[in-house]
Amino acid sequence: MDNFKGKIYLSGGGSEIDSYLLDRQFISQLRGNKILYIPIALTGGILTHEAAYSWVINTLTRHSIDFLDITLATDLSLFSDLNNYDGIYIGGGNTYKLLEVIKQTNFDQLLHEFLIKGGDVYGGSAGAIIMGKKIDIVFQENDNNYTQENGLNLAFDHVIACHYNFTHEEDEVFKAYSERTGSNVIALSERSGIVLQGGIMKVIGYDSVNIFIKNKKVGLANGQQIVMK
Amino acid sequence: MKNFLEFEKFGKFEYDDLIEQIQKKFRLGIKNPFESFKGQVSHPVNPEAAEAISDPEYLKNYFLEKGYINIPAKSIVNKDGSTILTTAGVQILDKAIFAEEDVPKEKMFVVQPVIRSQFLDCISEGTSTSFINISTEKVNPTIEEHFQSLEDWLSFLTQLGFSNKQLALSLRTTQPKWGDKKYHNKVIDVYYDNLQIGDATLNMDIPQKTREPLRISDIGFGLERIQWLLRGGSYFEIEDKELFKKYNNNKLLDCAKGMTLLTGSGVLPSNNNEGYRLRQYSKRFIDASLPFNHELDNLFNYFYQFWSGIAKFSVNINEMRNIITKENERNLNREIISRLQAKHDDVDIDINQPTKDLLKALRGTSVDQEFLMSIIKKMYG
């Protein structure tokens, strides 16, 4: 991650209104206008993917007066590199399915190279969770005996949790997880997000972000940043 | 054929048995999961049949005789539907599903133009972004009716000349989402020579607010893929052989076909919504068309006539050409300016004008004219 020129944006999985601030940052900081959208976490066929594609176009184009060229990818095995793109947007759905496909197609290696070369990656919900160290924080999504649980680990050994509602029950779950595994958990609500670059994590969103370090909870407000490594 | 009339307990009907019965009846082949389509049609099935089915009436007549009613295609602009553009024949039922309008009782047949965005940068033999989805639909079918429709399709294919031994069926189950409706389905993929040419889907438990959940028999095929297998040659081959010889470039043909469908249907280029796809197509068209020096009106005219036989266009052929020419020039201008900015980063000129006017305007600036000419030469070859 030290050699990444690109940035990683992780959103908690809300609507286009919830993620407005993070989306705006993502689009404004892109080096160009070509984005690859990956909806494969979604279960379902053509109608599902087309509807999701329309949603992403609507969500992202509002942040640019120039034309954003967003293409849809449903078969990651067709890619030998990501040189044609400036940004990769990985959408939500089933986290286990997403991770399995990414690893089976070696797309994780392409993402690494892409980040090294200065491309930016945006992960929403499942797309964010897979960027963490492990994905078993959402073990209940493993509905098909998927075998991959080690995430892409692009968040400095932290585990990412999304759709966080700031409840006491969730806090206890994340604390227990952190105690048991030794991994810190970054909990993102649907109205929050983070940007990772050069060892620094910055919060961008309407809600704060909570980091669970064993049985402790640290909150970071919008605009706050910390050194991760 | 076993008679499973009751759908209260969906998990219990013997789908595999029914598929096996059809495979025996039609003496179909078996799909080898380790074999894939080789990318080209080495043995055309029946070139005469390819020509016959290019006439929509041929298809309609077959299914009318089988008791289907013909439903007119919906616009490629899918207003009030689950997607911005029409992506599948089954979307003629969007209003029934989402507005919970009365469901038609008859079995239906539709010849539906569709656009599928996932292939925009993956154009290859057998894969295009716009094509004709020919499909049969029935709301709340019995399982017998669903499989009877599949039989109707298999009979149609074998009648066209497809070898039963090279036809194969393969079952999978998915849990898709249609708009905000989550449901589950059983999909029988239909292969010919390891190329998927269609699928027979039984969609179940589509939730409704005011009535019982719906089920839908949706069986659809890509007309162009069927024609390709029948005819051989290139998937992108068009009836106008001279035009095809002149502009034999898959990306160019795919973009022109998609752009005409959208523009003819009333879509104007924009940075979002349905106009977005048109703009995307145009940018890729410019990229593919540069070596052909832009005398490409005939291509758009051809595709306008092609689609007019199936789609109801609200824009006449001249208007279509004007809209496309303007958008193409805009994107060509954008490309010229973008390349100029490598040396002149302050170049700022209106791209919304004919290219010849843009070049004229540039000649009156401090832009290095030799550099400008070198860009033009490089672009046009």
Side-chain angles (χ1 to χ4, degrees):
Chain A
M1 282 171 280
D2 284 345
N3 54 352
F4 285 175
K5 286 188 186 149
K7 297 179 277 300
I8 299 171
Y9 295 78
L10 304 182
S11 102
S15 69
E16 64 273 19
I17 297 166
D18 294 329
S19 62
Y20 188 91
L21 296 178
L22 191 73
D23 297 346
R24 186 176 66 182
Q25 183 83 351
F26 172 60
I27 296 301
S28 69
Q29 297 284 303
L30 276 180
R31 62 188 176 186
N33 71 334
K34 290 189 180 357
I35 299 171
L36 183 69
Y37 168 54
I38 298 170
I40 57 169
L42 293 169
T43 50
I46 294 150
L47 295 183
T48 307
H49 291 150
E50 286 285 343
Y53 181 50
S54 297
W55 178 83
V56 154
I57 290 169
N58 182 47
T59 297
L60 298 181
T61 56
R62 64 183 63 194
H63 297 290
S64 173
I65 53 168
D66 295 325
F67 184 77
L68 286 179
D69 197 345
I70 306 168
T71 46
L72 174 67
T74 54
D75 185 352
L76 300 189
S77 68
L78 296 177
F79 292 89
S80 55
D81 63 63
L82 297 173
N83 297 334
N84 284 339
Y85 305 100
D86 304 299
I88 310 289
Y89 187 111
I90 305 176
N94 186 296
T95 311
Y96 278 80
K97 179 191 172 199
L98 175 63
L99 183 65
E100 189 107 336
V101 173
I102 282 182
K103 288 204 170 178
Q104 276 176 352
T105 55
N106 295 321
F107 198 78
D108 51 339
Q109 291 171 22
L110 298 189
L111 284 174
H112 261 94
E113 286 161 22
F114 181 72
L115 283 161
I116 288 169
K117 288 179 182 174
D120 292 344
V121 174
Y122 184 117
S125 188
I129 297 169
I130 62 163
M131 301 293 173
K133 185 177 181 184
K134 287 187 75 105
I135 65 169
D136 57 351
I137 195 92
V138 288
F139 66 91
Q140 67 278 14
E141 288 186 24
N142 192 354
D143 56 3
N144 202 19
N145 295 319
Y146 294 106
T147 54
Q148 300 279 0
E149 265 190 349
N150 291 331
L152 305 188
N153 202 11
L154 299 175
F156 299 95
D157 289 332
H158 286 64
V159 168
I160 308 294
C162 292
H163 304 285
Y164 175 51
N165 284 310
F166 297 97
T167 63
H168 174 73
E169 288 76 19
E170 286 168 303
D171 287 3
E172 293 306 302
V173 165
F174 295 146
K175 281 178 186 169
Y177 179 93
S178 182
E179 288 265 26
R180 189 175 77 248
T181 64
S183 295
N184 300 340
V185 178
I186 299 174
L188 305 174
S189 78
E190 290 181 355
R191 287 162 40 93
S192 68
I194 56 176
V195 183
L196 304 168
Q197 188 184 26
I200 306 234
M201 176 182 100
K202 184 175 179 181
V203 175
I204 299 181
Y206 298 108
D207 285 346
S208 58
V209 166
N210 281 344
I211 304 178
F212 293 87
I213 305 165
K214 302 266 171 66
N215 65 351
K216 290 189 176 31
K217 178 172 77 176
V218 173
L220 294 170
N222 177 34
Q224 276 192 287
Q225 55 187 45
I226 58 170
V227 176
M228 297 293 281
K229 52 180 182 178
Chain B
M1 167 77 74
K2 271 189 187 173
N3 190 8
F4 290 92
L5 296 178
E6 301 308 312
F7 274 82
E8 288 89 12
K9 294 162 178 65
F10 268 115
K12 295 194 178 165
F13 57 71
E14 293 145 19
Y15 226 81
D16 286 345
D17 281 354
L18 294 168
I19 294 173
E20 210 180 303
Q21 283 179 35
I22 283 201
Q23 283 171 323
K24 279 187 181 146
K25 181 174 178 179
F26 284 86
R27 288 172 295 159
L28 302 180
I30 305 287
K31 172 80 178 84
N32 184 336
F34 302 109
E35 274 185 17
S36 54
F37 181 65
K38 292 186 178 25
Q40 54 188 18
V41 178
S42 42
H43 300 290
V45 170
N46 184 351
E48 279 171 9
E51 204 169 317
I53 61 167
S54 63
D55 178 1
E57 295 306 309
Y58 181 98
L59 295 160
K60 281 178 201 169
N61 288 340
Y62 173 85
F63 285 97
L64 286 174
E65 277 171 25
K66 296 280 182 189
Y68 293 80
I69 61 167
N70 179 234
I71 302 292
K74 64 186 298 185
S75 171
I76 196 65
V77 180
N78 191 19
K79 285 211 181 327
D80 307 321
S82 52
T83 56
I84 283 184
L85 299 177
T86 303
T87 302
V90 71
Q91 288 180 288
I92 56 171
L93 297 172
D94 265 355
K95 283 192 174 162
I97 304 298
F98 297 102
E100 304 203 13
E101 287 185 357
D102 286 344
V103 293
K105 293 190 172 35
E106 304 88 349
K107 51 188 185 180
M108 298 164 274
F109 172 70
V110 63
V111 177
Q112 179 65 55
V114 298
I115 285 181
R116 295 199 178 163
S117 313
Q118 72 220 70
F119 303 123
L120 189 60
D121 287 336
C122 306
I123 305 302
S124 61
E125 287 293 340
T127 302
S128 57
T129 55
S130 65
F131 63 94
I132 300 166
N133 187 206
I134 45 177
S135 66
T136 55
E137 314 292 336
K138 174 99 172 63
V139 182
N140 293 334
T142 62
I143 195 165
E144 190 180 49
E145 286 170 329
H146 176 61
F147 274 84
Q148 182 56 55
S149 288
L150 178 55
E151 287 199 24
D152 291 340
W153 277 104
L154 291 172
S155 298
F156 177 67
L157 292 170
T158 49
Q159 190 177 291
L160 286 175
F162 285 96
S163 155
N164 47 344
K165 283 277 171 285
Q166 286 173 279
L167 279 166
L169 306 178
S170 174
L171 175 66
R172 57 188 166 95
T173 307
T174 76
Q175 290 179 311
K177 209 170 155 196
W178 186 348
D180 61 350
K181 314 278 181 196
K182 277 186 188 170
Y183 57 100
H184 63 283
N185 62 22
K186 287 191 182 291
V187 184
I188 302 171
D189 291 313
V190 182
Y191 290 87
Y192 188 79
D193 204 15
N194 294 310
L195 175 69
Q196 195 206 357
I197 56 173
D199 56 59
T201 303
L202 184 60
N203 298 301
M204 296 174 279
D205 293 331
I206 301 171
Q208 300 283 279
K209 293 188 184 110
T210 61
R211 56 191 176 195
E212 291 294 301
L214 297 179
R215 57 184 179 275
I216 293 174
S217 166
D218 165 36
I219 305 179
F221 289 77
L223 179 60
E224 284 87 337
R225 268 197 187 173
I226 291 178
Q227 286 176 307
W228 181 39
L229 288 168
L230 289 169
R231 177 193 68 223
S234 170
Y235 170 87
F236 292 91
E237 203 169 302
I238 55 180
E239 276 186 31
D240 188 328
K241 304 294 175 212
E242 282 306 311
L243 209 59
F244 179 65
K245 208 171 157 185
K246 205 171 170 190
Y247 299 118
N248 186 357
N249 176 298
N250 294 349
K251 195 168 162 185
L252 187 81
L253 292 167
D254 184 70
C255 288
K257 192 176 176 188
M259 286 172 75
T260 321
L261 176 58
L262 286 170
T263 329
S265 305
V267 174
L268 294 173
S270 71
N271 282 358
N272 43 44
N273 297 320
E274 57 265 14
Y276 178 89
R277 307 296 207 282
L278 179 54
R279 185 149 282 170
Q280 270 191 320
Y281 267 134
S282 172
K283 286 178 180 289
R284 282 151 178 81
F285 179 83
I286 289 301
D287 204 38
S289 71
L290 288 171
F292 296 103
N293 75 35
H294 292 290
E295 302 204 347
L296 292 153
D297 275 356
N298 286 343
L299 203 50
F300 294 109
N301 289 345
Y302 170 82
F303 282 119
Y304 187 94
Q305 302 301 347
F306 171 84
W307 286 120
S308 298
I310 307 153
K312 230 189 221 166
F313 278 171
S314 54
V315 165
N316 68 41
I317 196 168
N318 291 326
E319 284 169 325
M320 176 274 298
R321 262 207 322 271
N322 287 341
I323 293 167
I324 288 180
T325 300
K326 211 168 158 184
E327 180 64 11
N328 283 346
E329 284 201 312
R330 181 186 186 278
N331 288 314
L332 176 61
N333 294 344
R334 163 58 68 206
E335 186 58 30
I336 293 171
I337 299 294
S338 169
R339 294 185 191 205
L340 264 181
Q341 282 171 339
K343 205 174 175 185
H344 299 279
D345 58 8
D346 58 346
V347 164
D348 181 18
I349 200 158
D350 185 10
I351 57 172
N352 295 298
Q353 58 181 314
T355 303
K356 61 175 172 40
D357 292 347
L358 179 106
L359 292 174
K360 205 170 166 184
L362 281 171
R363 283 192 197 104
T365 68
S366 60
V367 160
D368 180 339
Q369 296 302 309
E370 260 188 56
F371 182 59
L372 174 61
M373 290 324 296
S374 73
I375 288 173
I376 303 299
K377 252 191 189 161
K378 237 188 217 169
M379 285 171 79
Y380 286 93

